Amino acid sequence: MSEATIQAPTTGSEAMRLFLPHSPFVQHLGIELIDIGDDHARLRMPFRENLVTVGEMVHGGALAGCIDIGIMAAAWAGPRVPEKLRGVTVAMSIQFLEPAFAEDVDIIGTRVRQGRRLSSCSVDIVTTAGGTLVAKGMGTYQVG
């Protein structure tokens, strides 16, 4: 076995640390993992002009993508690693509360309940500098 052999992650959090930087959609949004631990994850989407809807307002679709990625990260957060390294969001709802204008946003995901394969997660999107709650999301994610 060569030194280039890829090791399987030993925790769900490690799986996210390995996966996120290589996901084309995560890269497209510019999302960075800030912190991940038991039942929670914090990510950041830096403001970029190609993510606006008009003027300097961040597009709702970009924010919806943040919610989806936050659900995924929260569902994987912690020590558990499924036998099969796969997962999918099976349900998601979003409430847009305030616009974000030309500002980075933080994605704060929390696993609310964990079943054998399904996890219920909540996500808050807040402006990084001002702390304004921009959107809230809930979702169910299937791991494994």
Side-chain angles (χ1 to χ4, degrees), residues 45-130:
M45 183 179 74
F47 175 77
R48 294 192 338 239
E49 290 183 9
N50 66 339
L51 298 177
V52 301
T53 186
V54 66
E56 294 183 325
M57 185 187 316
V58 178
H59 193 284
L63 297 173
C66 290
I67 297 278
D68 188 29
I69 292 164
I71 289 167
M72 174 188 62
W76 281 89
R80 188 170 88 161
V81 180
E83 186 176 309
K84 295 181 181 177
L85 290 176
R86 64 182 182 192
V88 64
T89 302
V90 296
M92 181 172 81
S93 66
I94 304 168
Q95 294 176 330
F96 297 101
L97 305 169
E98 295 281 340
F101 291 101
E103 189 173 350
D104 299 354
V105 294
D106 281 2
I107 306 156
I108 304 162
T110 304
R111 185 172 50 238
V112 178
R113 182 185 180 283
Q114 180 176 352
R116 191 172 58 83
R117 292 189 64 199
L118 296 176
S119 292
S120 296
C121 302
S122 68
V123 178
D124 287 346
I125 305 293
V126 298
T127 57
T128 302

